[in-house]
Amino acid sequence: MHKLTFEKHQPKYIGQDMMEFLANAKFEDLSAEVVTRAKHVVMDGVAVMLAGRKTREMFGTTWDHMAPSGDVTPVGCKFRTTAAMAAFLNALHAQTHDYNDGLNNSGMMGGSYHPGRTVVSTALAVGEKVHASGKDILLAVVLGIEAAARMRNPAHKSTVADSYASAVTAAKLMGADAKQFRSACAMAAFLTPGEYTKAPGWRADATDHKAANPTSNVIKYAYLNRSGVEAAELALLGYEGNGLADNNAISTRYNTCGLGKDYQCMEMYFKPWPCCRKVHGGIDAALTLKNEYGVTAEDIEAIRVFQQTTGMYVNTPFTTATDINYGGQFSLQYNIACVFLDGNVELRHYRWPDRKAPQKYVDFGKKISVIADNGLDGHNAISPNHAIVEADLKNGKTLSVYCQYPLGAEPNGMTEEQFVAKLRTCAEDMTEAEKDALVKWILTLDEVVAL
């Protein structure tokens, strides 16, 4: 007969597996594939920060006057400030255009929709402050994305996930232990700004308080970054946060969820066009009509875009009164007009001097209708971004193109050459030599001794 023995059970605190994983993770744990993806995440993050910085300079909304003096340079800026304020400005610029990366399905489950605007912004700011190595930066980016995807808010609001991600990224670079990680995350959640009158999507023609305001949307993520850095700083000084709330994502069952094996950065998508991802299927199909079938703007009588039902918030007609700087990024009609009138969708299409689209885009946009098609939802209504663009031509013919996987979404991901091209396009104030140096620095980041 076997003798039964009993051991005293020491219960784990909520999230202990996650906090211990974050504290113990090393760069050497990462596969070559994960390291390469981390470099691409950094490259994409730097690109969108540079693009946003340029746009804010053009429109006189840089926020530079708010920055206290310090020893960290925000990306694309010529002054130095604190790490927390640099993270604030980096995120402000990264969120200016809807050009940032994304996590497949994460946001709909309470995680972060776009982790790069948080983790890359924070990693570069805090990394410069602590003179981190390139390997430290890459590891912090990977772990920040783990937090962005896995540490979800039970209320299914991604805001807290972004706070966790910023705090985790900063705390890793500061050398936090498991207890300090827990406190950093708890305080970051405590400091998180709440949702304020935000409706799904954004209506370019809205004048009431129910629409998501483009200014507050951008500022929110800037404050999340700053709060995350400050929470990490407090934790490293010995301040303790409250315990984390229980939910299936950060419970003690975490080690059954692929933690340390299935890195969430491998589940990301990237954007070749500076607008909402839900527009990309339509753009890709329209480009096929133009480039492969030779359809010109003059050939077209009418266009119908069949869109996933979950993506109908980009059914945004526009007028000459629309603030195209933000509203155009969420308008299928506007972006498809840009494709046929100019051959592509570029940053310049959201930078008109008066922030209003010229009349020719408005006139062409009137030819375009968007139709909800639940047949495109399939088994997964969130991703990929299916779309059908159907064009009635003046010669009586009708052409139709179906796009299932727009460029940037697996299995049609961007190549390294396309990441580099995006960065070079966004780094428009740099010389060619400076662009070359920046690209080389990012691609060899694991060889950089200290920032």
Side-chain angles (χ1 to χ4, degrees):
M1 177 180 286
H2 293 285
K3 183 179 179 180
L4 296 177
T5 59
F6 296 91
E7 296 180 2
K8 185 177 180 181
H9 176 62
Q10 180 64 42
K12 293 183 177 182
Y13 61 76
I14 301 302
Q16 184 171 341
D17 290 334
M18 181 64 169
M19 301 306 129
E20 291 176 349
F21 163 71
L22 294 171
N24 296 328
K26 303 183 295 295
F27 179 82
E28 290 70 26
D29 299 332
L30 307 180
S31 68
E33 181 185 34
V34 171
V35 171
T36 297
R37 172 54 59 90
K39 291 177 181 179
H40 292 165
V41 172
V42 172
M43 185 174 293
D44 197 76
V46 170
V48 298
M49 288 179 224
L50 291 172
R53 171 68 184 180
K54 177 66 174 181
T55 298
R56 294 208 162 271
E57 286 179 334
M58 293 172 67
F59 293 144
T61 55
T62 60
W63 283 56
D64 293 1
H65 65 285
M66 293 186 62
S69 60
D71 49 9
V72 176
T73 306
V75 172
C77 298
K78 295 181 174 62
F79 60 88
R80 297 168 75 79
T81 184
T82 64
M85 192 62 188
F88 177 102
L89 291 170
N90 286 346
L92 183 78
H93 300 151
Q95 187 66 11
T96 294
H97 293 285
D98 207 86
Y99 206 4
N100 38 28
D101 58 37
L103 271 168
N104 289 319
N105 303 343
S106 178
M108 300 300 291
M109 300 180 69
S112 172
Y113 285 97
H114 306 291
R117 66 189 172 195
T118 298
V119 299
V120 179
S121 296
T122 299
L124 294 178
V126 177
E128 183 177 354
K129 172 69 176 179
V130 303
H131 304 293
S133 70
K135 290 181 178 179
D136 294 336
I137 294 292
L138 294 171
L139 178 61
V141 165
V142 170
L143 297 183
I145 294 169
E146 290 295 294
R150 296 178 180 272
M151 295 187 64
R152 298 165 182 158
N153 178 4
H156 295 282
K157 291 183 178 179
S158 65
T159 301
V160 177
D162 288 285
S163 296
Y164 289 147
S166 177
V168 163
T169 304
K172 187 62 180 180
L173 289 165
M174 294 176 188
D177 60 25
K179 180 180 177 181
Q180 291 165 330
F181 268 111
R182 182 190 185 195
S183 290
C185 290
M187 285 188 286
F190 175 76
L191 294 171
T192 298
E195 298 285 346
Y196 176 66
T197 63
K198 184 174 181 180
W202 186 84
R203 300 204 313 276
D205 59 343
T207 58
D208 60 58
H209 69 283
K210 294 181 180 179
N213 184 282
T215 302
S216 62
N217 177 268
V218 170
I219 293 172
K220 178 175 75 172
Y221 293 101
Y223 274 106
L224 291 176
N225 263 27
R226 193 177 82 175
S227 296
V229 173
E230 291 174 344
E233 290 173 336
L234 289 169
L236 270 290
L237 287 173
Y239 289 88
E240 296 186 15
N242 294 329
L244 299 171
D246 192 12
N247 67 76
N248 288 337
I250 62 172
S251 75
T252 55
R253 300 179 296 280
Y254 219 126
N255 57 7
T256 66
C257 301
L259 190 62
K261 298 177 182 178
D262 303 322
Y263 286 98
Q264 298 302 296
C265 62
M266 304 308 296
E267 300 299 320
M268 294 174 67
Y269 64 85
F270 301 88
K271 297 180 180 179
W273 302 292
C275 52
C276 177
R277 184 191 185 207
K278 290 298 183 184
V279 178
H280 287 205
I283 291 175
D284 209 317
L287 283 168
T288 298
L289 279 173
K290 182 173 181 60
N291 296 333
E292 295 186 19
Y293 291 89
V295 177
T296 67
E298 292 73 23
D299 297 329
I300 294 172
E301 188 72 40
I303 291 176
R304 290 173 297 281
V305 183
F306 296 90
Q307 179 78 347
Q308 288 177 281
T309 59
T310 53
M312 283 301 288
Y313 61 83
V314 295
N315 175 25
T316 310
F318 63 102
T319 69
T320 51
T322 298
D323 183 343
I324 216 67
N325 169 239
Y326 196 82
Q329 298 177 57
F330 294 86
S331 172
L332 265 168
Q333 291 90 329
Y334 179 65
N335 286 282
I336 289 178
C338 293
V339 168
F340 284 106
L341 291 173
D342 298 325
N344 209 344
V345 179
E346 301 170 346
L347 285 166
R348 64 189 176 94
H349 290 119
Y350 313 106
R351 289 175 170 175
W352 302 113
D354 57 358
R355 302 168 71 108
K356 312 298 181 187
Q359 187 66 49
K360 69 174 184 177
Y361 297 90
V362 176
D363 292 340
F364 192 87
K366 293 176 182 178
K367 297 182 177 184
I368 304 168
S369 58
V370 180
I371 302 165
D373 186 346
N374 58 16
L376 293 173
D377 292 344
H379 69 282
N380 188 338
I382 304 169
S383 174
N385 292 293
H386 309 272
I388 299 171
V389 175
E390 193 171 84
D392 293 336
L393 307 183
K394 292 178 180 177
N395 64 8
K397 294 182 179 180
T398 296
L399 295 177
S400 180
V401 171
Y402 167 53
C403 175
Q404 182 176 11
Y405 298 103
L407 179 61
E410 298 297 341
N412 189 21
M414 289 171 59
T415 65
E416 185 163 281
E417 290 74 17
Q418 288 168 326
F419 280 110
V420 170
K422 178 176 177 178
L423 177 61
R424 297 183 74 92
T425 297
C426 292
E428 50 202 299
D429 287 339
M430 292 184 176
T431 65
E432 291 305 306
E434 289 171 333
K435 293 178 184 180
D436 291 341
L438 179 57
V439 169
K440 181 179 179 180
W441 182 80
I442 295 173
L443 291 180
T444 59
L445 199 49
D446 48 340
E447 300 173 17
V448 174
V449 176
L451 268 67

